[in-house]
Amino acid sequence: MDLSFYAYLQNAPPAIVLSPDILRFTIITANPAFLEATNTRLDELTGKSFFNVFPENSLGLPSKKVHSLINCMTDAILTKQLKILASQRYDVPVWGTNRFNTRYWRTSCSPIVNESGDMQCIVLTILDVSDDVACSLKKRFVLEVAEERREATLQIEERLRLAIESAEMGTWYMDVETREFIPSSRMKALFGFDSQEVMSYEAAVAQILPEYREIVTKSVEAALLNCIPYNMEYPITGYHDHKIRWVRATGKRYEAEVEGVAHFSGTIMDITERKLEEIRKNDFLSIASHELKTPLTSLKASLQLLSRMKDNPTAAMLPKLIDQSNRSIDKISSLVNDLLNVGRITENQFELNKSVFSISRLIDGCCDHVTSVGTHQLLLEGDQDLKVCGDEHRIDQVLVNLVNNAVKYAHGSFKITLRIESEYPMAKISVQDFGPGIPKNHLDQLFKRYYRADTTSIQNSGLGLGLYISTEIVKKHGGQIGVISELGKGSTFWFTIPLA
Ligand code: ADP
């Protein structure tokens, strides 16, 4: 081996020179770079078999990799050609510690042949490609992260879309520059348009009730120009169906992203139910105050008169004034009871005190206040022996409410029929009047809190709580409540409770 070869090796990348004995691969020499890369000394290596010095795992070589290194070296000797082993991971022990250095090496086996073609040795050269591998791993990692983010964004968008759909929200978009307006099909439906129809911004504004139109358009402009978030509640009339709906609309201006356009977009949802409940609640408060004020004024007047005649207790007016005061107090306590009941019922804070009792006996007792006045005739029909299981006091409350309503709301009808039927396992109790009946569009609303079908007649004004309280009592018994009504013929309110 000529000296220039050894001189070249000194400054070459990590290299080890092995004799071409296929079974041993005796180490002839190694250059300083190889000693450094493998944490070894030259005297530990020379004259020894390569695989004695670097047995399995000494370079962090799992057996498969040793095998492929032997193959590579054997191939180079047999073919007398350069063989390259693609880059592999090697965990190189760090001298004097238990730690490893992870490196990626590409190894090449060069057979050195003399002029007469005899194999002299093979040179195993290591090319450390760890940085390239780290770089491509990093690239792969960055790509994977980007892909994961894209996936996550798609998932968020999908969840948002589902949330918007399940909340039955409409969405809309408006280009800030061109004012192009794109509503979703749900938004079109809320405004009473067909999903295929074009609904311009102006057409949407035209459906807003006139008294709200200006304030809505001003808020939209403020959001568009001054970026003030937009959040409003207002009523609209359906374009085709002419239905009045309350909607809540929110919106925000989004600045242009790279190459994008500034836009204004948001959501719109139907809040009719909540709004009507709110309106009913407000009405209820003024009615409740009004209802309480009437007996209070009358009580005050009676007490003033009584106080004036307190030094003359024989006055003829005395019994009359006491009666009047009692009636006022009764009225006040009945109203307060209703208010307390609705509070307890709303918070589900009422317990049933159950017993077995006869429903006809209960009906007999609960209608005295009507029969004693003599204005109405009460007829009892059906199975009068039927016994039920429930809270007698609460069922009495339901019956009194239905009978009182028949008296209050069925003008001109003096007959009220009460019917008891067995619909195993329930008993069905109906109260029928022959009054004017109730319009169809009110029927399913009657049982809601604060709902009053006839809001024009002051004489009949109630708190709109009786049927709501009755419904909660019947439901707590596991029963049902309902009404059948025909205009001009009258109404039949019914409820069911478990048979004993
Ligand atoms: P309130 O009588 O206190 O207003 P209810 O909940 O008992 O409350 O009744 C709700 C509404 O149902 C009433 O305002 C009335 O318009 C209607 N209603 C109830 N019973 C009858 C009936 N028998 N005939 C006609 N309308 C009725």
Side-chain angles (χ1 to χ4, degrees):
M1 195 72 58
D2 70 32
L3 278 173
S4 61
F5 171 72
Y6 285 104
Y8 157 76
L9 265 189
Q10 288 311 300
N11 298 313
I16 187 164
V17 183
L18 308 168
S19 70
D21 45 347
I22 286 176
L23 295 176
R24 258 189 116 241
F25 292 107
T26 310
I27 299 169
I28 300 170
T29 190
N31 71 359
F34 182 89
L35 300 176
E36 194 188 327
T38 55
N39 287 311
T40 49
R41 291 198 321 264
L42 190 58
D43 61 321
E44 287 176 330
L45 307 180
T46 44
K48 295 183 180 150
S49 158
F50 181 83
F51 289 106
N52 280 345
V53 182
F54 299 113
E56 274 184 35
N57 296 328
S58 70
L59 277 181
L61 294 172
S63 54
K64 209 172 131 207
K65 285 186 189 159
V66 175
H67 189 64
S68 54
L69 197 56
I70 295 176
N71 283 352
C72 179
M73 298 197 298
T74 311
D75 259 15
I77 291 167
L78 295 179
T79 60
K80 294 184 183 169
Q81 280 179 5
L82 171 72
K83 294 288 166 192
I84 292 173
L85 193 62
S87 83
Q88 295 200 104
R89 176 184 163 149
Y90 296 89
D91 292 320
V92 186
V94 176
W95 186 251
T97 72
N98 294 328
R99 285 187 293 113
F100 291 90
N101 234 342
T102 298
R103 310 303 302 167
Y104 289 86
W105 287 342
R106 200 156 66 111
T107 37
S108 57
C109 300
S110 335
I112 308 288
V113 201
N114 67 11
E115 279 132 25
S116 40
D118 299 328
M119 177 73 73
Q120 299 283 291
C121 62
I122 56 164
V123 181
L124 190 73
T125 315
I126 293 169
L127 183 63
D128 195 320
V129 292
S130 305
D131 289 349
D132 295 350
V133 171
C135 191
S136 70
L137 281 178
K138 193 172 159 194
K139 255 192 212 154
R140 210 167 74 198
F141 175 73
V142 169
L143 284 176
E144 275 171 11
V145 168
E147 181 57 21
E148 270 173 22
R149 281 206 189 130
R150 207 176 71 85
E151 272 291 310
T153 313
L154 284 177
Q155 276 181 17
I156 291 170
E157 275 175 9
E158 177 63 6
R159 263 184 243 146
L160 192 64
R161 193 183 62 76
L162 288 176
I164 285 176
E165 262 176 27
S166 63
E168 301 205 320
M169 259 186 204
T171 50
W172 49 273
Y173 171 100
M174 187 192 270
D175 186 316
V176 169
E177 293 271 300
T178 62
R179 299 283 171 115
E180 182 196 8
F181 180 69
I182 308 172
S184 69
S185 323
R186 173 69 188 148
M187 179 172 185
K188 287 187 195 172
L190 282 177
F191 278 72
F193 284 78
D194 292 339
S195 61
Q196 309 301 328
E197 250 172 328
V198 174
M199 182 177 92
S200 65
Y201 172 65
E202 291 70 25
V205 169
Q207 298 317 121
I208 300 173
L209 260 53
E211 57 270 40
Y212 286 83
R213 216 171 277 155
E214 192 183 338
I215 181 146
V216 173
T217 47
K218 275 190 176 159
S219 306
V220 169
E221 285 305 312
L224 269 170
L225 304 176
N226 310 327
C227 304
I228 299 168
Y230 164 75
N231 188 344
M232 296 205 71
E233 293 183 356
Y234 52 85
I236 51 176
T237 328
Y239 181 61
H240 288 302
D241 58 13
H242 309 294
K243 253 192 177 176
I244 302 278
R245 293 184 189 87
W246 274 85
V247 290
R248 170 157 184 223
T250 59
K252 198 174 166 225
R253 177 184 160 134
Y254 295 87
E255 290 317 321
E257 286 175 9
V258 193
E259 290 180 28
V261 282
H263 72 272
F264 176 47
S265 63
T267 59
I268 190 150
M269 65 192 289
D270 190 345
I271 54 158
T272 313
E273 271 294 305
R274 170 169 74 67
K275 204 71 194 176
L276 291 184
E277 167 96 5
E278 215 175 282
I279 292 169
R280 283 201 296 268
K281 198 170 180 174
N282 288 339
D283 284 357
F284 161 77
L285 284 176
S286 46
I287 291 164
S289 325
H290 171 82
E291 288 277 302
L292 279 168
K293 217 173 152 205
T294 316
L296 270 176
T297 317
S298 142
L299 181 62
K300 200 173 166 195
S302 309
L303 285 175
Q304 272 170 353
L305 283 173
L306 281 170
S307 123
R308 252 186 249 153
M309 61 179 66
K310 67 176 183 290
D311 299 328
N312 181 16
T314 54
M317 284 286 282
L318 199 63
K320 205 177 160 210
L321 289 174
I322 291 176
D323 271 0
Q324 193 170 309
S325 307
N326 275 333
R327 272 202 306 279
S328 300
I329 286 289
D330 283 348
K331 177 79 181 153
I332 293 170
S333 48
S334 133
L335 285 168
V336 169
N337 263 341
D338 264 5
L339 293 173
L340 285 176
N341 268 328
V342 79
R344 277 190 213 118
I345 277 171
T346 309
E347 285 154 33
N348 208 0
Q349 268 183 7
F350 73 113
E351 289 300 321
L352 294 181
N353 197 357
K354 284 190 183 174
S355 63
V356 171
F357 57 92
S358 150
I359 199 78
S360 59
R361 194 181 44 75
L362 181 72
I363 291 175
D364 278 346
C366 79
C367 300
D368 286 350
H369 66 291
V370 177
T371 45
S372 62
V373 181
T375 51
H376 287 76
Q377 185 193 5
L378 259 67
L379 295 176
L380 184 56
E381 289 180 358
D383 188 345
Q384 305 201 8
D385 299 326
L386 226 51
K387 286 207 160 65
V388 293
C389 175
D391 185 323
E392 193 168 349
H393 168 67
R394 295 286 182 189
I395 298 300
D396 179 84
Q397 231 179 309
V398 176
L399 270 168
V400 169
N401 182 48
L402 297 187
V403 171
N404 281 354
N405 279 355
V407 172
K408 245 191 328 183
Y409 299 112
H411 326 284
S413 149
F414 305 107
K415 196 170 92 174
I416 300 169
T417 307
L418 288 120
R419 199 168 293 108
I420 309 169
E421 291 160 287
S422 167
E423 288 190 354
Y424 186 82
M426 308 299 274
K428 182 175 181 183
I429 298 113
S430 329
V431 179
Q432 182 179 14
D433 66 59
F434 302 88
I438 305 161
K440 263 202 169 50
N441 58 331
H442 288 294
L443 289 182
D444 55 344
Q445 309 282 329
L446 295 181
F447 302 89
K448 289 186 179 161
R449 205 164 21 156
Y450 316 130
Y451 193 86
R452 293 167 312 125
D454 179 7
T455 48
T456 52
S457 157
I458 293 175
Q459 197 193 353
N460 285 337
S461 73
L463 296 181
L465 290 177
L467 288 177
Y468 169 70
I469 294 175
S470 303
T471 305
E472 294 304 306
I473 293 174
V474 169
K475 274 204 293 196
K476 189 112 175 168
H477 279 84
Q480 289 181 316
I481 189 163
V483 60
I484 305 167
S485 188
E486 205 178 322
L487 284 178
K489 295 208 167 156
S491 315
T492 304
F493 282 83
W494 59 266
F495 65 94
T496 59
I497 44 165
L499 282 166

PDB file of all heavy atoms in Angstrom, residues 445-457:
ATOM      1  N   GLN A 445    -101.435  27.211  22.546  1.00  0.00           N
ATOM      2  CA  GLN A 445    -100.717  28.223  23.344  1.00  0.00           C
ATOM      3  C   GLN A 445    -101.308  28.369  24.740  1.00  0.00           C
ATOM      4  O   GLN A 445    -100.633  28.829  25.661  1.00  0.00           O
ATOM      5  CB  GLN A 445    -100.832  29.607  22.660  1.00  0.00           C
ATOM      6  CG  GLN A 445    -100.462  29.637  21.216  1.00  0.00           C
ATOM      7  CD  GLN A 445     -98.960  29.628  21.021  1.00  0.00           C
ATOM      8  OE1 GLN A 445     -98.224  30.140  21.852  1.00  0.00           O
ATOM      9  NE2 GLN A 445     -98.505  29.024  19.949  1.00  0.00           N
ATOM     10  N   LEU A 446    -102.595  27.974  24.865  1.00  0.00           N
ATOM     11  CA  LEU A 446    -103.327  28.268  26.102  1.00  0.00           C
ATOM     12  C   LEU A 446    -102.639  27.781  27.375  1.00  0.00           C
ATOM     13  O   LEU A 446    -102.787  28.378  28.433  1.00  0.00           O
ATOM     14  CB  LEU A 446    -104.709  27.590  26.061  1.00  0.00           C
ATOM     15  CG  LEU A 446    -105.683  28.075  25.006  1.00  0.00           C
ATOM     16  CD1 LEU A 446    -106.991  27.317  25.132  1.00  0.00           C
ATOM     17  CD2 LEU A 446    -105.940  29.560  25.196  1.00  0.00           C
ATOM     18  N   PHE A 447    -101.883  26.663  27.231  1.00  0.00           N
ATOM     19  CA  PHE A 447    -101.313  26.036  28.429  1.00  0.00           C
ATOM     20  C   PHE A 447     -99.951  26.623  28.802  1.00  0.00           C
ATOM     21  O   PHE A 447     -99.313  26.172  29.730  1.00  0.00           O
ATOM     22  CB  PHE A 447    -101.210  24.511  28.210  1.00  0.00           C
ATOM     23  CG  PHE A 447    -102.552  23.908  27.913  1.00  0.00           C
ATOM     24  CD1 PHE A 447    -103.016  23.811  26.608  1.00  0.00           C
ATOM     25  CD2 PHE A 447    -103.386  23.498  28.954  1.00  0.00           C
ATOM     26  CE1 PHE A 447    -104.272  23.292  26.326  1.00  0.00           C
ATOM     27  CE2 PHE A 447    -104.643  22.979  28.682  1.00  0.00           C
ATOM     28  CZ  PHE A 447    -105.097  22.878  27.360  1.00  0.00           C
ATOM     29  N   LYS A 448     -99.520  27.625  28.018  1.00  0.00           N
ATOM     30  CA  LYS A 448     -98.227  28.263  28.308  1.00  0.00           C
ATOM     31  C   LYS A 448     -98.400  29.326  29.384  1.00  0.00           C
ATOM     32  O   LYS A 448     -99.475  29.917  29.513  1.00  0.00           O
ATOM     33  CB  LYS A 448     -97.654  28.902  27.050  1.00  0.00           C
ATOM     34  CG  LYS A 448     -97.181  27.865  26.071  1.00  0.00           C
ATOM     35  CD  LYS A 448     -96.498  28.496  24.924  1.00  0.00           C
ATOM     36  CE  LYS A 448     -96.011  27.427  23.977  1.00  0.00           C
ATOM     37  NZ  LYS A 448     -95.740  27.947  22.657  1.00  0.00           N
ATOM     38  N   ARG A 449     -97.286  29.575  30.073  1.00  0.00           N
ATOM     39  CA  ARG A 449     -97.308  30.560  31.149  1.00  0.00           C
ATOM     40  C   ARG A 449     -97.671  31.948  30.624  1.00  0.00           C
ATOM     41  O   ARG A 449     -97.212  32.346  29.554  1.00  0.00           O
ATOM     42  CB  ARG A 449     -95.906  30.608  31.757  1.00  0.00           C
ATOM     43  CG  ARG A 449     -95.889  31.071  33.150  1.00  0.00           C
ATOM     44  CD  ARG A 449     -94.607  30.747  33.842  1.00  0.00           C
ATOM     45  NE  ARG A 449     -93.490  30.506  32.949  1.00  0.00           N
ATOM     46  CZ  ARG A 449     -92.233  30.670  33.320  1.00  0.00           C
ATOM     47  NH1 ARG A 449     -91.980  31.084  34.540  1.00  0.00           N
ATOM     48  NH2 ARG A 449     -91.250  30.409  32.509  1.00  0.00           N
ATOM     49  N   TYR A 450     -98.476  32.662  31.341  1.00  0.00           N
ATOM     50  CA  TYR A 450     -98.909  34.047  31.068  1.00  0.00           C
ATOM     51  C   TYR A 450     -99.750  34.187  29.797  1.00  0.00           C
ATOM     52  O   TYR A 450     -99.983  35.290  29.331  1.00  0.00           O
ATOM     53  CB  TYR A 450     -97.713  35.018  30.918  1.00  0.00           C
ATOM     54  CG  TYR A 450     -96.641  34.858  31.938  1.00  0.00           C
ATOM     55  CD1 TYR A 450     -95.306  34.739  31.574  1.00  0.00           C
ATOM     56  CD2 TYR A 450     -96.952  34.828  33.302  1.00  0.00           C
ATOM     57  CE1 TYR A 450     -94.316  34.588  32.520  1.00  0.00           C
ATOM     58  CE2 TYR A 450     -95.963  34.669  34.252  1.00  0.00           C
ATOM     59  CZ  TYR A 450     -94.640  34.544  33.849  1.00  0.00           C
ATOM     60  OH  TYR A 450     -93.660  34.389  34.774  1.00  0.00           O
ATOM     61  N   TYR A 451    -100.183  33.056  29.201  1.00  0.00           N
ATOM     62  CA  TYR A 451    -100.903  33.193  27.931  1.00  0.00           C
ATOM     63  C   TYR A 451    -102.383  33.470  28.157  1.00  0.00           C
ATOM     64  O   TYR A 451    -103.068  32.759  28.887  1.00  0.00           O
ATOM     65  CB  TYR A 451    -100.755  31.928  27.076  1.00  0.00           C
ATOM     66  CG  TYR A 451    -101.219  32.170  25.662  1.00  0.00           C
ATOM     67  CD1 TYR A 451    -100.347  32.698  24.730  1.00  0.00           C
ATOM     68  CD2 TYR A 451    -102.535  31.921  25.286  1.00  0.00           C
ATOM     69  CE1 TYR A 451    -100.773  32.977  23.443  1.00  0.00           C
ATOM     70  CE2 TYR A 451    -102.965  32.202  24.005  1.00  0.00           C
ATOM     71  CZ  TYR A 451    -102.083  32.727  23.089  1.00  0.00           C
ATOM     72  OH  TYR A 451    -102.503  33.009  21.829  1.00  0.00           O
ATOM     73  N   ARG A 452    -102.890  34.508  27.502  1.00  0.00           N
ATOM     74  CA  ARG A 452    -104.319  34.809  27.564  1.00  0.00           C
ATOM     75  C   ARG A 452    -104.811  34.961  26.140  1.00  0.00           C
ATOM     76  O   ARG A 452    -104.245  35.733  25.368  1.00  0.00           O
ATOM     77  CB  ARG A 452    -104.560  36.096  28.367  1.00  0.00           C
ATOM     78  CG  ARG A 452    -104.198  35.931  29.847  1.00  0.00           C
ATOM     79  CD  ARG A 452    -104.120  37.242  30.573  1.00  0.00           C
ATOM     80  NE  ARG A 452    -103.320  38.194  29.834  1.00  0.00           N
ATOM     81  CZ  ARG A 452    -103.749  39.403  29.470  1.00  0.00           C
ATOM     82  NH1 ARG A 452    -104.963  39.800  29.797  1.00  0.00           N
ATOM     83  NH2 ARG A 452    -102.978  40.203  28.797  1.00  0.00           N
ATOM     84  N   ALA A 453    -105.850  34.173  25.780  1.00  0.00           N
ATOM     85  CA  ALA A 453    -106.315  34.188  24.395  1.00  0.00           C
ATOM     86  C   ALA A 453    -106.994  35.511  24.081  1.00  0.00           C
ATOM     87  O   ALA A 453    -106.778  36.111  23.031  1.00  0.00           O
ATOM     88  CB  ALA A 453    -107.259  33.031  24.143  1.00  0.00           C
ATOM     89  N   ASP A 454    -107.814  35.982  25.009  1.00  0.00           N
ATOM     90  CA  ASP A 454    -108.565  37.205  24.746  1.00  0.00           C
ATOM     91  C   ASP A 454    -107.956  38.328  25.574  1.00  0.00           C
ATOM     92  O   ASP A 454    -108.197  38.445  26.771  1.00  0.00           O
ATOM     93  CB  ASP A 454    -110.042  36.990  25.144  1.00  0.00           C
ATOM     94  CG  ASP A 454    -110.859  38.244  24.910  1.00  0.00           C
ATOM     95  OD1 ASP A 454    -110.308  39.203  24.329  1.00  0.00           O
ATOM     96  OD2 ASP A 454    -112.030  38.258  25.326  1.00  0.00           O
ATOM     97  N   THR A 455    -107.140  39.154  24.922  1.00  0.00           N
ATOM     98  CA  THR A 455    -106.452  40.193  25.686  1.00  0.00           C
ATOM     99  C   THR A 455    -107.201  41.527  25.626  1.00  0.00           C
ATOM    100  O   THR A 455    -106.766  42.510  26.187  1.00  0.00           O
ATOM    101  CB  THR A 455    -105.021  40.397  25.132  1.00  0.00           C
ATOM    102  OG1 THR A 455    -105.104  40.516  23.723  1.00  0.00           O
ATOM    103  CG2 THR A 455    -104.110  39.263  25.499  1.00  0.00           C
ATOM    104  N   THR A 456    -108.358  41.530  24.921  1.00  0.00           N
ATOM    105  CA  THR A 456    -109.054  42.811  24.768  1.00  0.00           C
ATOM    106  C   THR A 456    -110.037  43.060  25.901  1.00  0.00           C
ATOM    107  O   THR A 456    -110.249  44.183  26.314  1.00  0.00           O
ATOM    108  CB  THR A 456    -109.813  42.844  23.435  1.00  0.00           C
ATOM    109  OG1 THR A 456    -110.612  41.660  23.379  1.00  0.00           O
ATOM    110  CG2 THR A 456    -108.870  42.885  22.248  1.00  0.00           C
ATOM    111  N   SER A 457    -110.617  41.970  26.407  1.00  0.00           N
ATOM    112  CA  SER A 457    -111.657  42.150  27.414  1.00  0.00           C
ATOM    113  C   SER A 457    -111.067  42.283  28.810  1.00  0.00           C
ATOM    114  O   SER A 457    -110.434  41.368  29.317  1.00  0.00           O
ATOM    115  CB  SER A 457    -112.607  40.944  27.361  1.00  0.00           C
ATOM    116  OG  SER A 457    -113.249  40.827  28.585  1.00  0.00           O
TER     117      SER A 457
END
